[in-house]
Amino acid sequence: MLDYDEEAERYDASRGGEPRAAAAAEAILGLLSPTARSLLDVACGTGIVTRRLAAGRDGLRVTGVDMAPAMVRQAAARLPGAIVRGDGRRLPFRDAEFDAVSSVWLLHLVDDARHARRIVAECTRVLRPGGVYVTTVDKGASHNVGSDIDGVLASRPPRPASDAAALVESYAVGCGLVPAGQTRFPGRGQGRSPRRAIADLRRGWFVTLPPGHPLADGFAARLAALPDQERPRPEPQFTLRAFRKPPLEPAFDRTP
């Protein structure tokens, strides 16, 4: 896995920057209730999406949380006073504190299913009854756009997707949430060129082909043989799923 403290300085530029952040924020906000007044953005990273969430709807108070100190510093510069350092498996917030919770590009990083379930459980815990949890699913599959680069990479060692849609839904339903919609948005600026794919390979982007893996040089050579080395292929299309926490049942007056 990438070291996100080391990655913080180049994170935004290597992942589509502001155009991708704008597309993500618009899609997230579109799945929220119009009455939502507070949102927690879990694994907010540099805050590039978090800031757009805060700016995208009047009256919405947005808080970001992330584990990596370097990411937290960048996010805090974008949203002073609204960023907290914390672990998604043990969120430092009260029960039912937020009207909405988002975790974008997080669950695909979690290798241990117990930790993924714990993240979803914590997002559920801090969500008020009637609120919505929004998360990306099938992130790895989103990058498979049917290009010649995908053809080369198709034979790399497999890795089970920890954010597979059915798996994430099972975690959410297990926490008492109910499906509440989905949408897709483009990964602006993330269409890979062969040269960029080689650079990503060299720095450990593909977790089943870490730097030094005996197969890595072979994949790099095959990517280098593709035409149009600088031409970006189509952009990925990311998928968001929304899950609602059922409202509390009304209390009945049983007074005779």
Side-chain angles (χ1 to χ4, degrees):
M1 185 182 293
L2 296 175
D3 183 325
Y4 282 89
D5 276 321
E6 292 184 2
E7 194 75 7
E9 288 298 325
R10 60 188 173 193
Y11 185 89
D12 294 341
S14 66
R15 290 164 175 80
E18 294 290 352
R20 184 185 80 147
E26 181 180 3
I28 294 166
L29 291 171
L31 290 172
L32 303 188
S33 164
T35 61
R37 291 295 174 263
S38 59
L39 167 69
L40 175 65
D41 189 21
V42 179
C44 67
T46 65
I48 190 169
V49 176
T50 320
R51 178 176 64 182
R52 286 185 171 272
L53 290 170
R57 181 180 294 186
D58 291 342
L60 182 65
R61 174 178 59 84
V62 177
T63 302
V65 61
D66 201 278
M67 283 183 63
M71 292 288 198
V72 168
R73 286 193 294 272
Q74 290 210 25
R78 284 184 160 123
L79 281 172
I83 307 298
V84 176
R85 187 180 176 204
D87 188 333
R89 296 166 297 182
R90 295 182 297 276
L91 290 171
F93 304 102
R94 301 186 305 274
D95 294 357
E97 187 168 345
F98 298 94
D99 294 335
V101 179
S102 61
S103 64
V104 181
W105 301 306
L106 169 61
L107 295 178
H108 72 285
L109 300 173
V110 184
D111 292 326
D112 191 323
R114 294 171 300 175
H115 293 170
R117 282 195 298 267
R118 183 62 184 167
I119 290 169
V120 175
E122 278 291 276
C123 290
T124 302
R125 179 184 64 80
V126 302
L127 185 64
R128 70 163 177 79
V132 172
Y133 169 51
V134 178
T135 187
T136 41
V137 297
D138 296 323
K139 199 264 187 182
S142 299
H143 286 276
N144 189 341
V145 295
S147 71
D148 52 354
I149 296 173
D150 297 324
V152 168
L153 295 174
S155 60
R156 70 184 186 274
R159 174 180 182 257
S162 56
D163 69 336
L167 195 58
V168 174
E169 181 171 334
S170 74
Y171 297 156
V173 171
C175 292
L177 303 179
V178 295
Q182 69 177 48
T183 192
R184 303 185 78 197
F185 66 94
R188 301 290 188 202
Q190 285 199 289
R192 283 199 184 105
S193 67
R195 197 173 305 282
R196 175 174 169 180
I198 294 169
D200 288 342
L201 177 65
R202 296 299 191 199
R203 66 193 182 91
W205 182 290
F206 303 105
V207 295
T208 60
L209 288 171
H213 190 287
L215 296 177
D217 286 344
F219 278 93
R222 291 167 63 190
L223 289 168
L226 294 177
D228 303 319
Q229 284 284 301
E230 301 291 347
R231 178 176 61 81
R233 277 40 172 186
E235 297 172 332
Q237 292 286 323
F238 298 113
T239 302
L240 281 172
R241 289 289 307 273
F243 301 92
R244 187 174 304 281
K245 190 173 188 177
L248 294 174
E249 292 291 335
F252 292 100
D253 185 357
R254 299 183 181 277
T255 304

